[in-house]
PDB file of all heavy atoms in Angstrom:
ATOM      1  N   ALA A   1       0.811  -1.214  -0.012  1.00 98.00           N
ATOM      2  CA  ALA A   1      -0.001  -0.016   0.030  1.00 98.00           C
ATOM      3  C   ALA A   1       0.850   1.256  -0.003  1.00 98.00           C
ATOM      4  O   ALA A   1       0.646   2.191  -0.742  1.00 98.00           O
ATOM      5  CB  ALA A   1      -0.917  -0.048   1.212  1.00 98.00           C
ATOM      6  N   TYR A   2       1.904   1.260   0.848  1.00 98.00           N
ATOM      7  CA  TYR A   2       2.775   2.450   0.936  1.00 98.00           C
ATOM      8  C   TYR A   2       3.568   2.587  -0.334  1.00 98.00           C
ATOM      9  O   TYR A   2       3.841   3.725  -0.771  1.00 98.00           O
ATOM     10  CB  TYR A   2       3.673   2.332   2.155  1.00 98.00           C
ATOM     11  CG  TYR A   2       4.462   3.548   2.443  1.00 98.00           C
ATOM     12  CD1 TYR A   2       3.816   4.711   2.850  1.00 98.00           C
ATOM     13  CD2 TYR A   2       5.883   3.616   2.248  1.00 98.00           C
ATOM     14  CE1 TYR A   2       4.581   5.923   3.109  1.00 98.00           C
ATOM     15  CE2 TYR A   2       6.641   4.716   2.514  1.00 98.00           C
ATOM     16  CZ  TYR A   2       5.940   5.871   2.903  1.00 98.00           C
ATOM     17  OH  TYR A   2       6.672   7.036   3.105  1.00 98.00           O
ATOM     18  N   HIS A   3       3.997   1.536  -0.961  1.00 98.00           N
ATOM     19  CA  HIS A   3       4.681   1.612  -2.258  1.00 98.00           C
ATOM     20  C   HIS A   3       3.816   2.294  -3.324  1.00 98.00           C
ATOM     21  O   HIS A   3       4.319   2.995  -4.117  1.00 98.00           O
ATOM     22  CB  HIS A   3       5.051   0.172  -2.710  1.00 98.00           C
ATOM     23  CG  HIS A   3       5.596   0.082  -4.106  1.00 98.00           C
ATOM     24  ND1 HIS A   3       6.830   0.586  -4.452  1.00 98.00           N
ATOM     25  CD2 HIS A   3       5.017  -0.373  -5.259  1.00 98.00           C
ATOM     26  CE1 HIS A   3       7.000   0.407  -5.732  1.00 98.00           C
ATOM     27  NE2 HIS A   3       5.945  -0.190  -6.245  1.00 98.00           N
ATOM     28  N   SER A   4       2.500   2.006  -3.213  1.00 97.00           N
ATOM     29  CA  SER A   4       1.565   2.515  -4.192  1.00 97.00           C
ATOM     30  C   SER A   4       1.123   4.002  -3.905  1.00 97.00           C
ATOM     31  O   SER A   4       0.860   4.763  -4.793  1.00 97.00           O
ATOM     32  CB  SER A   4       0.294   1.629  -4.276  1.00 97.00           C
ATOM     33  OG  SER A   4       0.685   0.339  -4.563  1.00 97.00           O
ATOM     34  N   ASP A   5       1.074   4.307  -2.620  1.00 97.00           N
ATOM     35  CA  ASP A   5       0.613   5.651  -2.215  1.00 97.00           C
ATOM     36  C   ASP A   5       1.295   5.976  -0.845  1.00 97.00           C
ATOM     37  O   ASP A   5       0.915   5.499   0.173  1.00 97.00           O
ATOM     38  CB  ASP A   5      -0.906   5.647  -2.059  1.00 97.00           C
ATOM     39  CG  ASP A   5      -1.465   6.969  -1.728  1.00 97.00           C
ATOM     40  OD1 ASP A   5      -0.733   7.917  -1.530  1.00 97.00           O
ATOM     41  OD2 ASP A   5      -2.735   7.107  -1.634  1.00 97.00           O
ATOM     42  N   GLN A   6       2.306   6.846  -0.949  1.00 96.00           N
ATOM     43  CA  GLN A   6       3.099   7.132   0.254  1.00 96.00           C
ATOM     44  C   GLN A   6       2.401   8.132   1.219  1.00 96.00           C
ATOM     45  O   GLN A   6       2.930   9.171   1.533  1.00 96.00           O
ATOM     46  CB  GLN A   6       4.436   7.607  -0.125  1.00 96.00           C
ATOM     47  CG  GLN A   6       5.266   6.525  -0.928  1.00 96.00           C
ATOM     48  CD  GLN A   6       6.678   6.973  -1.220  1.00 96.00           C
ATOM     49  OE1 GLN A   6       7.130   8.081  -0.899  1.00 96.00           O
ATOM     50  NE2 GLN A   6       7.418   5.994  -1.766  1.00 96.00           N
ATOM     51  N   ARG A   7       1.262   7.663   1.783  1.00 97.00           N
ATOM     52  CA  ARG A   7       0.560   8.460   2.731  1.00 97.00           C
ATOM     53  C   ARG A   7       1.147   8.233   4.115  1.00 97.00           C
ATOM     54  O   ARG A   7       1.491   7.069   4.484  1.00 97.00           O
ATOM     55  CB  ARG A   7      -0.922   8.032   2.745  1.00 97.00           C
ATOM     56  CG  ARG A   7      -1.719   8.561   1.533  1.00 97.00           C
ATOM     57  CD  ARG A   7      -3.183   8.236   1.707  1.00 97.00           C
ATOM     58  NE  ARG A   7      -3.459   6.846   1.260  1.00 97.00           N
ATOM     59  CZ  ARG A   7      -4.414   6.063   1.807  1.00 97.00           C
ATOM     60  NH1 ARG A   7      -5.140   6.525   2.790  1.00 97.00           N
ATOM     61  NH2 ARG A   7      -4.654   4.864   1.324  1.00 97.00           N
ATOM     62  N   PRO A   8       1.298   9.252   4.904  1.00 97.00           N
ATOM     63  CA  PRO A   8       1.894   9.139   6.225  1.00 97.00           C
ATOM     64  C   PRO A   8       1.161   8.174   7.133  1.00 97.00           C
ATOM     65  O   PRO A   8       1.777   7.479   7.921  1.00 97.00           O
ATOM     66  CB  PRO A   8       1.762  10.576   6.804  1.00 97.00           C
ATOM     67  CG  PRO A   8       1.677  11.465   5.620  1.00 97.00           C
ATOM     68  CD  PRO A   8       0.960  10.708   4.591  1.00 97.00           C
ATOM     69  N   GLU A   9      -0.200   8.037   7.022  1.00 97.00           N
ATOM     70  CA  GLU A   9      -0.968   7.148   7.865  1.00 97.00           C
ATOM     71  C   GLU A   9      -0.603   5.686   7.612  1.00 97.00           C
ATOM     72  O   GLU A   9      -0.663   4.842   8.474  1.00 97.00           O
ATOM     73  CB  GLU A   9      -2.444   7.368   7.766  1.00 97.00           C
ATOM     74  CG  GLU A   9      -3.035   7.182   6.401  1.00 97.00           C
ATOM     75  CD  GLU A   9      -3.160   8.471   5.604  1.00 97.00           C
ATOM     76  OE1 GLU A   9      -2.242   9.364   5.845  1.00 97.00           O
ATOM     77  OE2 GLU A   9      -4.067   8.661   4.857  1.00 97.00           O
ATOM     78  N   LEU A  10      -0.215   5.364   6.344  1.00 98.00           N
ATOM     79  CA  LEU A  10       0.184   4.035   6.018  1.00 98.00           C
ATOM     80  C   LEU A  10       1.554   3.705   6.657  1.00 98.00           C
ATOM     81  O   LEU A  10       1.791   2.638   7.154  1.00 98.00           O
ATOM     82  CB  LEU A  10       0.233   3.812   4.534  1.00 98.00           C
ATOM     83  CG  LEU A  10      -1.149   3.911   3.800  1.00 98.00           C
ATOM     84  CD1 LEU A  10      -0.931   3.890   2.273  1.00 98.00           C
ATOM     85  CD2 LEU A  10      -2.071   2.803   4.229  1.00 98.00           C
ATOM     86  N   LEU A  11       2.446   4.664   6.532  1.00 98.00           N
ATOM     87  CA  LEU A  11       3.761   4.489   7.193  1.00 98.00           C
ATOM     88  C   LEU A  11       3.672   4.339   8.615  1.00 98.00           C
ATOM     89  O   LEU A  11       4.326   3.449   9.276  1.00 98.00           O
ATOM     90  CB  LEU A  11       4.690   5.712   6.825  1.00 98.00           C
ATOM     91  CG  LEU A  11       6.125   5.642   7.338  1.00 98.00           C
ATOM     92  CD1 LEU A  11       6.894   4.508   6.733  1.00 98.00           C
ATOM     93  CD2 LEU A  11       6.813   7.032   7.090  1.00 98.00           C
ATOM     94  N   GLU A  12       2.837   5.169   9.265  1.00 98.00           N
ATOM     95  CA  GLU A  12       2.603   5.082  10.756  1.00 98.00           C
ATOM     96  C   GLU A  12       2.027   3.708  11.123  1.00 98.00           C
ATOM     97  O   GLU A  12       2.482   3.127  12.088  1.00 98.00           O
ATOM     98  CB  GLU A  12       1.706   6.185  11.198  1.00 98.00           C
ATOM     99  CG  GLU A  12       1.432   6.155  12.712  1.00 98.00           C
ATOM    100  CD  GLU A  12       0.497   7.247  13.154  1.00 98.00           C
ATOM    101  OE1 GLU A  12      -0.048   7.960  12.242  1.00 98.00           O
ATOM    102  OE2 GLU A  12       0.279   7.321  14.346  1.00 98.00           O
ATOM    103  N   ALA A  13       1.075   3.228  10.362  1.00 98.00           N
ATOM    104  CA  ALA A  13       0.449   1.951  10.711  1.00 98.00           C
ATOM    105  C   ALA A  13       1.439   0.865  10.582  1.00 98.00           C
ATOM    106  O   ALA A  13       1.453  -0.074  11.420  1.00 98.00           O
ATOM    107  CB  ALA A  13      -0.715   1.726   9.759  1.00 98.00           C
ATOM    108  N   GLY A  14       2.236   0.818   9.555  1.00 98.00           N
ATOM    109  CA  GLY A  14       3.262  -0.147   9.352  1.00 98.00           C
ATOM    110  C   GLY A  14       4.275  -0.132  10.461  1.00 98.00           C
ATOM    111  O   GLY A  14       4.739  -1.224  10.979  1.00 98.00           O
ATOM    112  N   ASN A  15       4.782   1.013  10.832  1.00 98.00           N
ATOM    113  CA  ASN A  15       5.772   1.121  11.894  1.00 98.00           C
ATOM    114  C   ASN A  15       5.190   0.658  13.228  1.00 98.00           C
ATOM    115  O   ASN A  15       5.886   0.063  14.067  1.00 98.00           O
ATOM    116  CB  ASN A  15       6.254   2.544  11.988  1.00 98.00           C
ATOM    117  CG  ASN A  15       7.263   2.900  10.896  1.00 98.00           C
ATOM    118  OD1 ASN A  15       7.948   2.011  10.417  1.00 98.00           O
ATOM    119  ND2 ASN A  15       7.363   4.186  10.542  1.00 98.00           N
ATOM    120  N   LYS A  16       3.929   0.935  13.477  1.00 98.00           N
ATOM    121  CA  LYS A  16       3.297   0.421  14.737  1.00 98.00           C
ATOM    122  C   LYS A  16       3.136  -1.069  14.711  1.00 98.00           C
ATOM    123  O   LYS A  16       3.381  -1.712  15.720  1.00 98.00           O
ATOM    124  CB  LYS A  16       1.884   1.127  14.870  1.00 98.00           C
ATOM    125  CG  LYS A  16       1.976   2.581  15.301  1.00 98.00           C
ATOM    126  CD  LYS A  16       0.595   3.242  15.187  1.00 98.00           C
ATOM    127  CE  LYS A  16      -0.377   2.710  16.208  1.00 98.00           C
ATOM    128  NZ  LYS A  16      -1.678   3.420  16.139  1.00 98.00           N
ATOM    129  N   ALA A  17       2.795  -1.618  13.556  1.00 98.00           N
ATOM    130  CA  ALA A  17       2.714  -3.084  13.399  1.00 98.00           C
ATOM    131  C   ALA A  17       4.120  -3.702  13.648  1.00 98.00           C
ATOM    132  O   ALA A  17       4.196  -4.740  14.294  1.00 98.00           O
ATOM    133  CB  ALA A  17       2.215  -3.451  12.031  1.00 98.00           C
ATOM    134  N   LEU A  18       5.119  -3.080  13.093  1.00 98.00           N
ATOM    135  CA  LEU A  18       6.468  -3.557  13.285  1.00 98.00           C
ATOM    136  C   LEU A  18       6.875  -3.525  14.760  1.00 98.00           C
ATOM    137  O   LEU A  18       7.439  -4.452  15.321  1.00 98.00           O
ATOM    138  CB  LEU A  18       7.465  -2.726  12.491  1.00 98.00           C
ATOM    139  CG  LEU A  18       8.956  -2.955  12.683  1.00 98.00           C
ATOM    140  CD1 LEU A  18       9.375  -4.370  12.227  1.00 98.00           C
ATOM    141  CD2 LEU A  18       9.795  -1.879  11.914  1.00 98.00           C
ATOM    142  N   HIS A  19       6.585  -2.382  15.451  1.00 98.00           N
ATOM    143  CA  HIS A  19       6.955  -2.203  16.818  1.00 98.00           C
ATOM    144  C   HIS A  19       6.267  -3.287  17.687  1.00 98.00           C
ATOM    145  O   HIS A  19       6.913  -3.892  18.569  1.00 98.00           O
ATOM    146  CB  HIS A  19       6.611  -0.879  17.272  1.00 98.00           C
ATOM    147  CG  HIS A  19       6.790  -0.679  18.826  1.00 98.00           C
ATOM    148  ND1 HIS A  19       8.019  -0.592  19.403  1.00 98.00           N
ATOM    149  CD2 HIS A  19       5.827  -0.693  19.836  1.00 98.00           C
ATOM    150  CE1 HIS A  19       7.869  -0.492  20.707  1.00 98.00           C
ATOM    151  NE2 HIS A  19       6.564  -0.533  20.978  1.00 98.00           N
ATOM    152  N   PHE A  20       5.023  -3.580  17.375  1.00 98.00           N
ATOM    153  CA  PHE A  20       4.321  -4.587  18.203  1.00 98.00           C
ATOM    154  C   PHE A  20       4.940  -5.977  18.117  1.00 98.00           C
ATOM    155  O   PHE A  20       4.872  -6.805  19.020  1.00 98.00           O
ATOM    156  CB  PHE A  20       2.845  -4.653  17.878  1.00 98.00           C
ATOM    157  CG  PHE A  20       2.064  -5.434  18.906  1.00 98.00           C
ATOM    158  CD1 PHE A  20       1.733  -4.951  20.145  1.00 98.00           C
ATOM    159  CD2 PHE A  20       1.676  -6.718  18.604  1.00 98.00           C
ATOM    160  CE1 PHE A  20       1.017  -5.674  21.064  1.00 98.00           C
ATOM    161  CE2 PHE A  20       0.987  -7.511  19.537  1.00 98.00           C
ATOM    162  CZ  PHE A  20       0.660  -6.983  20.754  1.00 98.00           C
ATOM    163  N   LEU A  21       5.526  -6.255  16.958  1.00 98.00           N
ATOM    164  CA  LEU A  21       6.199  -7.575  16.771  1.00 98.00           C
ATOM    165  C   LEU A  21       7.343  -7.717  17.730  1.00 98.00           C
ATOM    166  O   LEU A  21       7.681  -8.869  18.055  1.00 98.00           O
ATOM    167  CB  LEU A  21       6.771  -7.629  15.292  1.00 98.00           C
ATOM    168  CG  LEU A  21       6.004  -8.350  14.276  1.00 98.00           C
ATOM    169  CD1 LEU A  21       6.782  -8.339  12.951  1.00 98.00           C
ATOM    170  CD2 LEU A  21       5.740  -9.785  14.700  1.00 98.00           C
ATOM    171  N   THR A  22       7.908  -6.653  18.240  1.00 97.00           N
ATOM    172  CA  THR A  22       9.041  -6.741  19.163  1.00 97.00           C
ATOM    173  C   THR A  22       8.627  -6.763  20.619  1.00 97.00           C
ATOM    174  O   THR A  22       9.504  -6.778  21.511  1.00 97.00           O
ATOM    175  CB  THR A  22      10.040  -5.593  18.909  1.00 97.00           C
ATOM    176  OG1 THR A  22       9.422  -4.338  19.309  1.00 97.00           O
ATOM    177  CG2 THR A  22      10.453  -5.515  17.475  1.00 97.00           C
ATOM    178  N   VAL A  23       7.363  -6.773  20.933  1.00 98.00           N
ATOM    179  CA  VAL A  23       6.832  -6.766  22.266  1.00 98.00           C
ATOM    180  C   VAL A  23       6.964  -8.235  22.733  1.00 98.00           C
ATOM    181  O   VAL A  23       6.373  -9.185  22.175  1.00 98.00           O
ATOM    182  CB  VAL A  23       5.380  -6.280  22.413  1.00 98.00           C
ATOM    183  CG1 VAL A  23       4.889  -6.474  23.834  1.00 98.00           C
ATOM    184  CG2 VAL A  23       5.304  -4.862  21.958  1.00 98.00           C
ATOM    185  N   PRO A  24       7.723  -8.510  23.861  1.00 97.00           N
ATOM    186  CA  PRO A  24       7.896  -9.866  24.376  1.00 97.00           C
ATOM    187  C   PRO A  24       6.577 -10.461  24.791  1.00 97.00           C
ATOM    188  O   PRO A  24       5.683  -9.825  25.164  1.00 97.00           O
ATOM    189  CB  PRO A  24       8.839  -9.686  25.573  1.00 97.00           C
ATOM    190  CG  PRO A  24       9.506  -8.379  25.302  1.00 97.00           C
ATOM    191  CD  PRO A  24       8.517  -7.554  24.642  1.00 97.00           C
ATOM    192  N   ILE A  25       6.532 -11.806  24.712  1.00 96.00           N
ATOM    193  CA  ILE A  25       5.359 -12.528  25.155  1.00 96.00           C
ATOM    194  C   ILE A  25       4.976 -12.195  26.584  1.00 96.00           C
ATOM    195  O   ILE A  25       3.741 -12.034  26.811  1.00 96.00           O
ATOM    196  CB  ILE A  25       5.623 -14.034  25.044  1.00 96.00           C
ATOM    197  CG1 ILE A  25       5.563 -14.490  23.521  1.00 96.00           C
ATOM    198  CG2 ILE A  25       4.670 -14.858  25.862  1.00 96.00           C
ATOM    199  CD1 ILE A  25       5.804 -15.949  23.290  1.00 96.00           C
ATOM    200  N   GLU A  26       5.953 -11.976  27.434  1.00 95.00           N
ATOM    201  CA  GLU A  26       5.674 -11.687  28.843  1.00 95.00           C
ATOM    202  C   GLU A  26       4.915 -10.365  28.990  1.00 95.00           C
ATOM    203  O   GLU A  26       4.230 -10.107  30.015  1.00 95.00           O
ATOM    204  CB  GLU A  26       6.937 -11.559  29.661  1.00 95.00           C
ATOM    205  CG  GLU A  26       7.859 -12.787  29.505  1.00 95.00           C
ATOM    206  CD  GLU A  26       8.836 -12.675  28.354  1.00 95.00           C
ATOM    207  OE1 GLU A  26       9.840 -11.913  28.455  1.00 95.00           O
ATOM    208  OE2 GLU A  26       8.532 -13.281  27.310  1.00 95.00           O
ATOM    209  N   HIS A  27       4.951  -9.543  27.985  1.00 96.00           N
ATOM    210  CA  HIS A  27       4.324  -8.194  28.056  1.00 96.00           C
ATOM    211  C   HIS A  27       3.114  -8.137  27.059  1.00 96.00           C
ATOM    212  O   HIS A  27       2.690  -7.048  26.673  1.00 96.00           O
ATOM    213  CB  HIS A  27       5.322  -7.107  27.741  1.00 96.00           C
ATOM    214  CG  HIS A  27       6.446  -7.041  28.773  1.00 96.00           C
ATOM    215  ND1 HIS A  27       6.194  -6.740  30.114  1.00 96.00           N
ATOM    216  CD2 HIS A  27       7.739  -7.258  28.684  1.00 96.00           C
ATOM    217  CE1 HIS A  27       7.372  -6.747  30.749  1.00 96.00           C
ATOM    218  NE2 HIS A  27       8.287  -7.063  29.917  1.00 96.00           N
ATOM    219  N   GLY A  28       2.694  -9.314  26.533  1.00 96.00           N
ATOM    220  CA  GLY A  28       1.520  -9.362  25.720  1.00 96.00           C
ATOM    221  C   GLY A  28       1.760  -9.374  24.225  1.00 96.00           C
ATOM    222  O   GLY A  28       0.774  -9.248  23.456  1.00 96.00           O
ATOM    223  N   GLY A  29       2.962  -9.456  23.777  1.00 97.00           N
ATOM    224  CA  GLY A  29       3.254  -9.509  22.366  1.00 97.00           C
ATOM    225  C   GLY A  29       3.623 -10.909  21.861  1.00 97.00           C
ATOM    226  O   GLY A  29       3.572 -11.889  22.581  1.00 97.00           O
ATOM    227  N   PRO A  30       4.122 -11.024  20.633  1.00 98.00           N
ATOM    228  CA  PRO A  30       4.478 -12.296  20.073  1.00 98.00           C
ATOM    229  C   PRO A  30       5.972 -12.637  20.010  1.00 98.00           C
ATOM    230  O   PRO A  30       6.373 -13.597  19.453  1.00 98.00           O
ATOM    231  CB  PRO A  30       3.888 -12.191  18.572  1.00 98.00           C
ATOM    232  CG  PRO A  30       4.146 -10.723  18.284  1.00 98.00           C
ATOM    233  CD  PRO A  30       4.036  -9.933  19.579  1.00 98.00           C
ATOM    234  N   PHE A  31       6.785 -11.724  20.514  1.00 98.00           N
ATOM    235  CA  PHE A  31       8.255 -11.875  20.401  1.00 98.00           C
ATOM    236  C   PHE A  31       8.811 -12.803  21.483  1.00 98.00           C
ATOM    237  O   PHE A  31       8.549 -12.609  22.721  1.00 98.00           O
ATOM    238  CB  PHE A  31       8.876 -10.485  20.553  1.00 98.00           C
ATOM    239  CG  PHE A  31      10.368 -10.439  20.306  1.00 98.00           C
ATOM    240  CD1 PHE A  31      10.891 -10.494  19.051  1.00 98.00           C
ATOM    241  CD2 PHE A  31      11.210 -10.363  21.373  1.00 98.00           C
ATOM    242  CE1 PHE A  31      12.217 -10.461  18.814  1.00 98.00           C
ATOM    243  CE2 PHE A  31      12.596 -10.374  21.155  1.00 98.00           C
ATOM    244  CZ  PHE A  31      13.135 -10.396  19.880  1.00 98.00           C
ATOM    245  N   THR A  32       9.592 -13.781  21.066  1.00 98.00           N
ATOM    246  CA  THR A  32      10.193 -14.708  21.983  1.00 98.00           C
ATOM    247  C   THR A  32      11.586 -15.166  21.445  1.00 98.00           C
ATOM    248  O   THR A  32      12.150 -14.507  20.545  1.00 98.00           O
ATOM    249  CB  THR A  32       9.308 -15.910  22.317  1.00 98.00           C
ATOM    250  OG1 THR A  32       9.820 -16.734  23.365  1.00 98.00           O
ATOM    251  CG2 THR A  32       9.007 -16.760  21.071  1.00 98.00           C
ATOM    252  N   SER A  33      12.051 -16.268  21.970  1.00 98.00           N
ATOM    253  CA  SER A  33      13.351 -16.766  21.479  1.00 98.00           C
ATOM    254  C   SER A  33      13.285 -18.320  21.467  1.00 98.00           C
ATOM    255  O   SER A  33      12.262 -18.917  21.829  1.00 98.00           O
ATOM    256  CB  SER A  33      14.500 -16.302  22.399  1.00 98.00           C
ATOM    257  OG  SER A  33      14.407 -17.020  23.637  1.00 98.00           O
ATOM    258  N   MET A  34      14.343 -18.904  21.128  1.00 98.00           N
ATOM    259  CA  MET A  34      14.435 -20.385  21.080  1.00 98.00           C
ATOM    260  C   MET A  34      14.826 -20.989  22.448  1.00 98.00           C
ATOM    261  O   MET A  34      15.292 -22.095  22.559  1.00 98.00           O
ATOM    262  CB  MET A  34      15.429 -20.892  19.977  1.00 98.00           C
ATOM    263  CG  MET A  34      15.051 -20.438  18.623  1.00 98.00           C
ATOM    264  SD  MET A  34      13.364 -20.844  18.088  1.00 98.00           S
ATOM    265  CE  MET A  34      13.382 -22.622  18.290  1.00 98.00           C
ATOM    266  N   LYS A  35      14.607 -20.266  23.489  1.00 96.00           N
ATOM    267  CA  LYS A  35      15.003 -20.665  24.867  1.00 96.00           C
ATOM    268  C   LYS A  35      14.325 -21.951  25.316  1.00 96.00           C
ATOM    269  O   LYS A  35      14.868 -22.616  26.215  1.00 96.00           O
ATOM    270  CB  LYS A  35      14.707 -19.546  25.829  1.00 96.00           C
ATOM    271  CG  LYS A  35      13.242 -19.176  25.953  1.00 96.00           C
ATOM    272  CD  LYS A  35      13.061 -17.990  26.850  1.00 96.00           C
ATOM    273  CE  LYS A  35      11.556 -17.608  26.905  1.00 96.00           C
ATOM    274  NZ  LYS A  35      11.289 -16.443  27.766  1.00 96.00           N
ATOM    275  N   ASP A  36      13.219 -22.274  24.761  1.00 96.00           N
ATOM    276  CA  ASP A  36      12.539 -23.526  25.176  1.00 96.00           C
ATOM    277  C   ASP A  36      13.124 -24.765  24.576  1.00 96.00           C
ATOM    278  O   ASP A  36      12.754 -25.877  24.944  1.00 96.00           O
ATOM    279  CB  ASP A  36      11.024 -23.421  24.872  1.00 96.00           C
ATOM    280  CG  ASP A  36      10.237 -22.599  25.891  1.00 96.00           C
ATOM    281  OD1 ASP A  36      10.886 -22.083  26.803  1.00 96.00           O
ATOM    282  OD2 ASP A  36       9.030 -22.416  25.746  1.00 96.00           O
TER     283      ASP A  36
END
C-alpha cells in the first residue's frame, strides 16, 4: 500500500505493526526466542 501511495498514515500503521512484533510474550506481544 505504501509503495503505491506514500501516505503518512500508512507509514505510521506499518511502523506500529512492526513495533508490536518486538513486544515480548511476557508483556503481551508475540516476540520470544528459542530458549525453550
